[in-house]
Amino acid sequence: MSVPPPELPARSSTRLDSYVDRYAARTKGMTASEIRALFSVASRPEVVSLAGGMPNISGLPLDVVGGAISDLVADHGATAMQYGSGQGDPVLREQICDVMRLEGIEAHPDDVVVTVGSQQAVDLVTRIFCDPGDVVICEAPSYVGALGVFRAYECDVVHVEMDADGMVPEALRQAIAHVQAAGRTIKFVYTIPNFHNPAGVTLSAERRTEILQICREADVLVLEDNPYGLLGFEGEPIRAMRADEAEGVIYLGSFSKTFAPGFRVGWALAPHAVREKLVLAQESATLCPPSFSQMAVSAYLRTHDWQGQVKQFREMYRDRRDAMIEALDDLMPATARWNVPAGGFYVWLTLPDGLDAKAMLPRAVTARVAYVPGTAFFADGFGAQSMRLSYCYPTPERIREGVRRLVGVIEDELELRQTFGTVADVVARGYEGPQSDLT
Ligand code: PMP
């Protein structure tokens, strides 16, 4: 007598559906960022994109870079194309220490871990510190790529207010006390002290000291993310937080904005014990960061006046910052507010009351200008009245044109609002039009 086969659970409609159902819980937080979703429209030539944060590398001397790479292949090709150490190339790590010295950091190459861009450094630090439900404190707003990492590791992000001088120390103190009183673990405070992405502001010197002290007293680690530090428009590079606190700070740096992002070379400088764990995490993620990229960056730093190149980048970005600020001053309604960044790529603009940057975006794109709505930079849905405008990529003329188009959209929105009120007003009033409109 044959035994009937056991009853199987109902199958999903396709085999792929059933795999998709098995994704790990942490992938729930992995959704396309608003910036990613924008890329397809914002990159059309007729759209002035004030959205993307791509470094503008059109000034790079490609012949010099090409020459350095060709020499690298001829002289050290077999090493450059081989696996390397999990911690990164020792010569490059020494050069990284020279770069960080410009910001007052005295470090040993042994405490540096080379990563695949500083993005991977954010990932590795989060991977070794954070369990699901751990708290990470971030500025409000914060870098969208870091928020994506924190979401992917199922951290809870607590935002701390910023003003024109960066993170507000008293707000940080209160946030830490609040979280600790609830018995929760804060794994680190993630901060972008220089030329913040997206807020454009810089943490003042007094506040750096104060924030380090607050974190020391509360026994909380600081993750200092500093990809824009050498792109200031005024004076000397600003002293890093890590320069004044070696034990309690993990510092992240990158060659993406000072050289080129395509090499994907960044780094973490960490206290010794943490550095060891980071290397293990790096080995499990990539075995080793790409040897070829590291040696190419190293050759560029050795053979080229890279600091002269960074100076050129700074001047180019300053011209573009000036073009954007002038256009905003000339054209933007007085009830909008924005800051004047002293370096980096970004202006944070807050719309007149009642306007919503996310809701307005489709109309802006129709008017052929793109920006990133502020909500992308918050873990908790805030930021709807604000937007990030980047001036790094378009020419000054295109920036002016982009601002002109954006102002046109904002003025239309203000007029609509005057006529009809906000959507909430309309809902509250009830629908007053003919019934046929509802079909
Ligand atoms: N941190 C911040 C604040 C950034 O703006 C970026 C790039 N937009 C990164 C980290 C990552 O840079 P990369 O991986 O290219 O070094």
Side-chain angles (χ1 to χ4, degrees):
M1 201 182 97
S2 66
V3 181
E7 223 166 83
L8 294 172
R11 285 191 55 186
S12 314
S13 51
T14 69
R15 200 166 159 190
L16 191 61
D17 284 339
S18 71
Y19 295 152
V20 167
D21 287 345
R22 289 177 215 156
Y23 282 146
R26 65 180 171 279
T27 63
K28 286 205 182 71
M30 293 181 188
T31 50
S33 78
E34 296 181 50
I35 300 187
R36 168 100 80 82
L38 265 176
F39 256 127
S40 57
V41 271
S43 54
R44 287 203 211 125
E46 68 274 21
V47 175
V48 177
S49 178
L50 307 175
M54 270 198 308
N56 191 329
I57 54 170
S58 52
L60 267 184
L62 293 184
D63 50 341
V64 173
V65 180
I69 289 177
S70 148
D71 290 348
L72 172 64
V73 173
D75 302 338
H76 306 285
T79 315
M81 286 179 245
Q82 188 51 274
Y83 287 119
S85 105
Q87 189 173 355
D89 179 58
V91 178
L92 179 64
R93 285 190 279 116
E94 276 180 29
Q95 291 168 305
I96 286 172
C97 290
D98 295 339
V99 172
M100 290 191 292
R101 202 165 291 118
L102 299 172
E103 295 170 335
I105 296 176
E106 286 304 329
H108 196 281
D110 210 27
D111 291 337
V112 174
V113 182
V114 179
T115 54
V116 182
S118 51
Q119 183 68 30
Q120 197 210 10
V122 177
D123 186 282
L124 295 182
V125 170
T126 313
R127 182 185 298 204
I128 66 170
F129 277 103
C130 294
D131 289 313
D134 282 343
V135 172
V136 172
I137 294 188
C138 296
E139 284 128 354
S142 188
Y143 167 49
V144 63
L147 293 178
V149 173
F150 303 148
R151 235 189 343 264
Y153 287 98
E154 300 175 88
C155 308
D156 284 343
V157 167
V158 171
H159 284 292
V160 166
E161 183 194 344
M162 302 174 90
D163 63 18
D165 288 327
M167 191 192 293
V168 177
E170 196 42 43
L172 174 64
R173 198 191 303 276
Q174 282 174 18
I176 291 176
H178 194 254
V179 175
Q180 289 182 338
R184 316 252 336 249
T185 313
I186 302 169
K187 287 298 171 78
F188 49 81
V189 172
Y190 170 76
T191 179
I192 307 151
N194 295 319
F195 324 126
H196 192 276
N197 177 7
V201 299
T202 294
L203 188 65
S204 69
E206 305 77 59
R207 284 194 180 176
R208 284 170 200 240
T209 312
E210 220 178 323
I211 284 172
L212 285 174
Q213 194 181 337
I214 292 170
C215 290
R216 202 178 308 121
E217 281 166 13
D219 204 11
V220 174
L221 186 66
V222 174
L223 183 56
E224 177 180 23
D225 187 11
N226 189 27
Y228 305 96
L230 297 183
L231 294 180
F233 304 145
E234 298 142 22
E236 295 300 304
I238 301 170
R239 192 172 169 80
M241 296 170 88
R242 167 60 178 73
D244 294 316
E245 166 86 60
E247 281 295 297
V249 178
I250 299 177
Y251 172 98
L252 309 185
S254 173
F255 290 109
S256 289
K257 330 283 170 178
T258 49
F259 178 24
F263 291 100
R264 307 304 300 125
V265 177
W267 70 92
L269 168 68
H272 208 71
V274 176
R275 185 279 275 165
E276 273 173 27
K277 210 50 152 187
L278 277 177
V279 173
L280 293 173
Q282 175 62 291
E283 284 171 357
S284 83
T286 66
L287 289 184
C288 63
S291 308
F292 195 85
S293 281
Q294 293 179 79
M295 290 181 77
V297 171
S298 176
Y300 172 80
L301 295 176
R302 193 175 55 250
T303 57
H304 188 57
D305 173 19
W306 71 271
Q307 293 201 50
Q309 182 59 52
V310 172
K311 183 166 176 282
Q312 271 185 35
F313 283 146
R314 277 200 299 268
E315 283 161 9
M316 181 257 306
Y317 290 130
R318 188 177 49 218
D319 285 351
R320 284 159 205 244
R321 186 269 320 252
D322 289 347
M324 178 168 277
I325 296 299
E326 261 172 47
L328 291 170
D329 285 345
D330 289 349
L331 303 170
M332 205 37 92
T335 43
R337 284 165 287 130
W338 59 91
N339 58 321
V340 181
F345 294 179
Y346 308 108
V347 168
W348 184 250
L349 181 132
T350 300
L351 291 167
D353 284 349
L355 297 199
D356 180 323
K358 195 168 174 183
M360 200 176 81
L361 186 60
R363 282 188 284 280
V365 172
T366 309
R368 293 168 296 130
V369 59
Y371 55 82
V372 185
T375 41
F377 307 99
F378 287 81
D380 50 14
F382 275 79
Q385 205 182 326
S386 299
M387 63 176 69
R388 187 190 77 178
L389 299 176
S390 45
Y391 49 80
C392 50
Y393 212 77
T395 60
E397 295 67 41
R398 293 276 286 171
I399 290 171
R400 272 184 217 105
E401 177 56 22
V403 171
R404 199 186 60 72
R405 291 177 191 176
L406 179 61
V407 168
V409 177
I410 292 173
E411 282 174 345
D412 285 353
E413 289 283 303
L414 285 171
E415 204 179 300
L416 269 176
R417 238 191 94 232
Q418 258 187 351
T419 316
F420 298 110
T422 61
V423 174
D425 292 339
V426 174
V427 171
R429 234 184 6 246
Y431 180 69
E432 291 160 351
Q435 289 304 307
S436 60
D437 282 2
L438 295 176
T439 59

